[in-house]
Amino acid sequence: MTRKKSNATRAEPAPVTEKGSTKKRFSDVHGASNIHSAKRPRIEDGTELSRWRMRDDESRHTWHYLEDDEAVKEWPQTHADKYFLGLSLDLPDLPPPKNPLDAVRNGLTFFEKLQLPSGHWGCEYGGPMFLLPGIVISWYVTKTPIPWYYATEIKNYLFARANPEDGGWGLHIEGDTSVFGTVLNYTTLRLVGVEAEHPKMVKARATLHKLGGATHAPHWAKFWLSLLGVMDWDIVNPVPPEFWLMPDWVPLAPWRWWIHIRQVFLPMSYLWSKRWQAEETETIRSLRKELFVDDWATIDWAGNRNTIHPNDNYHPKSWLLNSVNWLLVNIWTPYLRPKALVTMAENWTSELIDMEDKNTDYADLAPVNAAMNFVVCYARDGPDSHSVRKHRERNEEFLWVKGEGLLCNGTNGVQCWDTAFAIQTVMDAGLTDHPRWRPMLLKALEYLDKQQIRENVEDQSKCYRQQRKGAWAFSNKDQGYAVSDCVSEALKSVIILQKTPGFPKLIDDQRIFDAIDTLLTYQSSSGGCASYEPPRAGTWMETLNAAEVFGRIMVEYDYPECTTAVVTALSLFSKHWPTYRQKEIKAFVGRAVSWIKIAQKPHGGWYGSWAICFTYATMFALESLSSIGETYGNSEHSKRGCDFLIAHQREDGGWSESYKACETGEYVEHPSGSQVVMTSWALIGLMKAKYPDKERIKKGIKLIMDRQQPNGEWLQEAIEGVFNKSCMISYPNYKFTFTMKALGMFAQKYQDETVI
Ligand code: LAN
């Protein structure tokens, strides 16, 4: 990427005023909100990467661009900043490893440099291509100024991630071009100030038109574009807030839905009901011309509610949902919907939104509902309200800057999750009691101590939240949503360190018991464990999935990954506190492992829902089995799992899975060949299962060692994570934590092996 040298003291260029408008749109003072449309954000070729800094405020991540040279001197870039930005760290080569344990030591030497001041590890958490548009649209409609360095780096990121052939965007960075990705990212670029006649925009627009234009977009894009005033609300399939008035016993009441869909449906339904739209600007008028194949004035909005391009239609709407929508559009809304009921529904959704904001201090569950709640507060409380200011401030935490530009993370970070794995990695290598790693581990322990959630949310049952006292979230305490496996992995790490001589007991027994009490609420009737809550309704609810682009989004499911994490956490806990809720834990573990067996596929592997794909879940499932003593030699399930992995080992000793496996449910290799992360997962699974053929394992270990760089790091390969079957998401720290875990386990198991 060519980067223009920016001059820190340069005066602002004259505002680019949009034709036909006399009002100002953006201010250069970030945070001002009383200015009106017309001034586009300034946009440059690039920023100077050496001026960016990531601030870690007790794990609240915010990126800052230092335009002032003095500030640059006063706040030097850290190793972590440079690493995230893709700048050289200039680290010396480490002594070449003679065996896997040396490779772990080199890896840790590098990884230690990335530990952030509050004790956790941070990372980019990109991949989905529909998150940044929500943030930018929410800025635009709330008249939030976009600083030139954001606008510039958003443009760079989106250009870097456009499909090189057709110029469009997919649902995620590796996905094929879709209307969802293209229409939203094209719009984002226009809102941050890119001209419609820029050659890349001309190309993207041509692709969008080939796909049928914006009328062929899925539900969520139609929602955002209607909010923006580029579409008419009639094109949006109904999102009635009245759903929230259903009594709790109704089988399809929204409190039973998966937390993400219900938290998105909430603000969506409020805004849909209000048919709220942004103030019209010249850019909005222009987008009405750019995004459609037909003349905007002639479009049959209601008639295109169900128009969707096949590339976007991963989960076609069921006949039941189509019928419900038809009734809502043609009968309920025009003739029956009583005003008093609408007001009641809007008030109740509004109250639930306030509870979400209060319980997370405006951090919110994830960037989709955070952006929407922001707009609700703006529409409801006015531009200068406290709620608007809080959202504006907190939404910054979703942004991430890297060499390619600025993107939106899938959550406000991966803090607790990655930190827990980092600790376990050191444990697996048998290095927790080595003084060399104590300062790093102590900081990590102190971090987990501070991040444990100490109380349930107020009004827990009123806002349908799961018990969370003693839990850890995936990201941080502010977000505060307990997840079964996040609690488990963090708890295991705390126990491991606190039971290692030399580490302080920061978390007392009662707090450990609180975590266990919460974990014990997570078992489903099947025996397995889901993510945020045990399932509250059956999978039949998927017939009401209106999002089209995602699968398995309406309710919770049991997952081998989550189930295993809980099983291993409970088992480790029981070793140290054998009498606490002994019977319940034993029964829980027994039922959970029985469920793991049921979830095994006929080919012997397990389907992974949170990372790609069979190698990930099979690693967890084999660990579950081994935790009750079932391994390759004595268990048919374990043997079949190992045979499945071995059957997919590649010639070079590695494993390689493509995201297509998540979509299709079949093992699919990644076209770029073996991946260190998947190789590590498979090897960990095999070692947990005591797979007897050491040579096979050694071959994989060698591949991981060969890919390690002289400074101890591993390079980024293909994307690792997934959600809702169709959308991929990056876990950049997995290339450190799981590689080192596999190497460390091998070193512990085969102490004399050199593998060079
Ligand atoms: C995550 C990230 C972490 C992940 C694990 C802990 C790995 C998993 O084992 C349980 C589920 C969980 C917590 C999870 C759920 C869905 C999330 C939050 C995400 C994949 C990160 C982003 C995604 C979220 C749904 C993105 C926003 C999109 C919508 C469709 C609302």
Side-chain angles (χ1 to χ4, degrees):
M1 193 192 313
T2 48
R3 291 190 170 273
K4 192 172 164 178
K5 254 197 156 273
S6 101
N7 179 344
T9 52
R10 181 174 44 205
E12 288 290 296
V16 187
T17 309
E18 292 182 350
K19 270 182 271 154
S21 177
T22 51
K23 297 180 198 152
K24 278 183 153 193
R25 176 144 210 304
F26 291 105
S27 156
D28 295 322
V29 187
H30 194 46
S33 59
N34 57 345
I35 357 96
H36 274 231
S37 53
K39 193 178 149 196
R40 281 198 205 135
R42 179 180 131 201
I43 200 152
E44 301 276 339
D45 286 349
T47 62
E48 274 182 75
L49 292 182
S50 58
R51 291 181 183 274
W52 285 102
R53 306 285 182 277
M54 205 277 285
R55 194 174 138 158
D56 163 28
D57 206 350
E58 284 302 332
S59 85
R60 282 173 73 158
H61 298 157
T62 46
W63 281 89
H64 303 266
Y65 191 69
L66 307 181
E67 296 192 78
D68 174 31
D69 288 337
E70 269 312 301
V72 169
K73 268 191 232 141
E74 273 163 32
W75 184 0
Q77 261 182 338
T78 61
H79 280 308
D81 289 331
K82 288 186 191 164
Y83 179 76
F84 299 144
L85 292 160
L87 300 173
S88 167
L89 268 64
D90 291 326
L91 294 173
D93 288 359
L94 298 168
K98 295 198 191 68
N99 54 44
L101 197 57
D102 284 348
V104 176
R105 288 196 194 96
N106 284 358
L108 286 175
T109 304
F110 184 87
F111 200 49
E112 185 188 34
K113 301 209 162 53
L114 305 184
Q115 189 176 27
L116 292 166
S118 68
H120 73 283
W121 278 265
C123 64
E124 168 210 341
Y125 194 37
M129 291 303 287
F130 64 97
L131 301 175
L132 188 60
I135 297 286
V136 172
I137 293 175
S138 73
W139 283 340
Y140 195 84
V141 305
T142 59
K143 298 176 182 160
T144 301
I146 305 177
W148 72 269
Y149 40 87
Y150 278 11
T152 299
E153 290 303 347
I154 286 174
K155 173 207 61 173
N156 285 337
Y157 183 73
L158 293 182
F159 281 170
R161 285 295 167 177
N163 182 306
E165 263 138 52
D166 60 28
W169 292 269
L171 176 63
H172 56 90
I173 53 173
E174 289 196 13
D176 297 335
T177 295
S178 67
V179 179
F180 195 31
T182 306
V183 80
L184 286 183
N185 289 300
Y186 180 96
T187 302
T188 302
L189 283 162
R190 294 286 287 120
L191 298 183
V192 299
V194 180
E195 295 290 345
E197 292 322 309
H198 188 294
K200 290 192 194 289
M201 300 297 275
V202 173
K203 190 173 170 190
R205 197 159 64 234
T207 294
L208 177 63
H209 285 205
K210 247 188 240 150
L211 298 173
T215 51
H216 288 60
H219 190 220
W220 289 18
K222 285 171 172 158
F223 164 83
W224 281 120
L225 294 173
S226 300
L227 197 71
L228 199 55
V230 174
M231 284 184 165
D232 186 289
W233 275 107
D234 282 351
I235 200 170
V236 183
N237 265 319
V239 199
E242 300 88 284
F243 263 55
W244 282 100
L245 297 177
M246 283 178 188
D248 288 353
W249 57 263
V250 176
L252 49 82
W255 73 276
R256 299 172 186 277
W257 302 356
W258 189 46
I259 187 78
H260 279 281
I261 194 73
R262 73 177 194 260
Q263 287 296 6
V264 169
F265 184 89
L266 255 185
M268 217 183 211
S269 67
Y270 182 90
L271 293 163
W272 175 87
S273 189
K274 296 275 186 204
R275 290 173 81 96
W276 190 87
Q277 280 193 321
E279 190 179 287
E280 192 176 302
T281 63
E282 186 57 37
T283 305
I284 290 174
R285 280 195 287 275
S286 187
L287 280 168
R288 290 178 186 160
K289 296 196 191 103
E290 295 163 38
L291 300 182
F292 301 92
V293 174
D294 297 320
D295 176 10
W296 190 81
T298 66
I299 292 172
D300 171 11
W301 300 106
N304 279 292
R305 269 189 307 111
N306 291 317
T307 311
I308 181 160
H309 190 275
N311 286 10
D312 293 74
N313 209 6
Y314 179 72
H315 190 283
K317 291 186 290 301
S318 64
W319 66 265
L320 179 72
L321 180 60
N322 283 330
S323 317
V324 171
N325 282 338
W326 188 91
L327 287 170
L328 288 170
V329 169
N330 296 300
I331 315 283
W332 174 254
T333 311
Y335 303 116
L336 301 176
R337 200 171 179 235
K339 213 171 168 320
L341 190 84
V342 173
T343 311
M344 232 162 86
E346 285 173 354
N347 290 345
W348 177 224
T349 45
S350 165
E351 199 182 330
L352 285 166
I353 290 166
D354 284 343
M355 285 191 242
E356 161 75 349
D357 285 346
K358 188 186 84 190
N359 291 331
T360 58
D361 191 24
Y362 295 87
D364 290 345
L365 176 60
V368 184
N369 82 316
M372 290 180 186
N373 285 8
F374 181 19
V375 182
V376 168
C377 289
Y378 181 86
R380 189 191 61 189
D381 305 339
D384 291 320
S385 56
H386 172 73
S387 58
V388 163
R389 281 202 301 274
K390 284 295 284 186
H391 275 298
R392 188 174 278 139
E393 181 192 314
R394 291 231 74 155
N395 285 2
E396 302 265 317
E397 292 166 47
F398 294 114
L399 307 178
W400 194 265
V401 185
K402 61 186 286 198
E404 280 173 329
L406 188 153
L407 58 99
C408 176
N409 280 346
T411 54
N412 60 340
V414 192
Q415 297 88 326
C416 288
W417 184 248
D418 277 339
T419 304
F421 282 123
I423 294 171
Q424 290 176 36
T425 289
V426 185
M427 194 270 305
D428 283 311
L431 297 174
T432 29
D433 50 5
H434 197 290
R436 168 70 184 84
W437 309 110
R438 183 156 307 141
M440 174 182 93
L441 293 173
L442 186 59
K443 268 168 77 184
L445 177 62
E446 284 164 356
Y447 178 72
L448 291 181
D449 167 33
K450 288 203 186 111
Q451 293 298 320
Q452 190 184 21
I453 301 167
R454 308 288 281 273
E455 297 300 335
N456 289 322
V457 298
E458 256 178 63
D459 304 324
Q460 179 177 301
S461 59
K462 189 173 180 195
C463 56
Y464 309 108
R465 288 282 302 266
Q466 171 78 6
Q467 171 177 330
R468 65 168 200 179
K469 188 172 176 184
W472 282 267
F474 175 70
S475 56
N476 59 16
K477 193 177 173 177
D478 283 4
Q479 191 255 13
Y481 274 89
V483 186
S484 65
D485 53 353
C486 301
V487 185
S488 305
E489 300 299 354
L491 179 65
K492 279 193 273 178
S493 305
V494 166
I495 297 178
I496 289 163
L497 288 185
Q498 295 201 158
K499 292 291 173 190
T500 303
F503 282 93
K505 192 171 170 185
L506 301 178
I507 300 186
D508 63 24
D509 285 2
Q510 187 51 52
R511 285 169 61 193
I512 304 264
F513 298 158
D514 289 344
I516 292 294
D517 292 347
T518 287
L519 267 187
L520 288 174
T521 66
Y522 270 101
Q523 192 158 40
S524 323
S525 50
S526 66
C529 296
S531 56
Y532 297 80
E533 295 151 354
R536 296 175 172 185
T539 57
W540 57 266
M541 192 83 88
E542 226 54 66
T543 48
L544 294 180
N545 176 352
E548 295 137 339
V549 290
F550 306 113
R552 302 227 290 191
I553 195 170
M554 290 304 290
V555 285
E556 282 277 7
Y557 293 80
D558 299 321
Y559 303 106
E561 302 97 302
C562 297
T563 308
T564 300
V566 181
V567 163
T568 50
L570 292 176
S571 307
L572 179 68
F573 168 80
S574 289
K575 270 191 208 132
H576 296 285
W577 291 269
T579 53
Y580 188 81
R581 300 187 70 175
Q582 187 185 16
K583 265 197 197 143
E584 285 148 286
I585 291 178
K586 199 161 174 247
F588 190 120
V589 170
R591 294 179 58 225
V593 180
S594 305
W595 178 80
I596 293 274
K597 291 179 181 170
I598 296 168
Q600 188 168 25
K601 301 283 170 207
H603 54 41
W606 282 263
Y607 177 84
S609 295
W610 303 114
I612 306 167
C613 177
F614 290 96
T615 41
Y616 183 66
T618 304
M619 162 183 74
F620 281 105
L622 289 173
E623 187 177 5
S624 255
L625 293 173
S626 90
S627 79
I628 55 154
E630 291 201 26
T631 53
Y632 185 88
N634 64 8
S635 156
E636 191 46 34
H637 289 281
S638 177
K639 181 176 179 306
R640 282 178 44 229
C642 293
D643 291 344
F644 168 80
L645 288 175
I646 288 295
H648 291 289
Q649 188 174 25
R650 292 161 52 87
E651 214 18 66
D652 60 7
W655 278 260
S656 146
E657 267 190 280
S658 149
Y659 73 86
K660 298 268 179 206
C662 306
E663 289 180 354
T664 61
E666 299 299 329
Y667 192 99
V668 183
E669 293 217 347
H670 198 278
S672 65
S674 294
Q675 310 286 311
V676 285
V677 171
M678 282 138 199
T679 303
S680 308
W681 291 336
L683 294 174
I684 294 166
L686 290 168
M687 287 188 275
K688 290 270 176 201
K690 301 199 173 94
Y691 182 70
D693 185 350
K694 185 176 72 183
E695 290 312 309
R696 289 289 204 136
I697 297 175
K698 208 168 141 182
K699 221 173 156 190
I701 292 289
K702 182 162 179 353
L703 181 129
I704 298 174
M705 286 177 70
D706 288 347
R707 298 249 177 121
Q708 189 175 29
Q709 304 300 301
N711 63 5
E713 72 172 316
W714 282 270
L715 303 179
Q716 184 60 36
E717 298 177 346
I719 200 157
E720 305 87 352
V722 61
F723 57 88
N724 301 117
K725 294 184 93 174
S726 57
C727 193
M728 306 306 133
I729 189 156
S730 308
Y731 284 85
N733 284 331
Y734 283 0
K735 64 179 173 289
F736 295 107
T737 48
F738 285 104
T739 46
M740 291 192 285
K741 184 181 169 95
L743 295 172
M745 279 175 69
F746 185 87
Q748 289 288 296
K749 210 172 145 105
Y750 308 104
Q751 307 237 338
D752 303 324
E753 285 291 340
T754 50
V755 197
I756 33 173

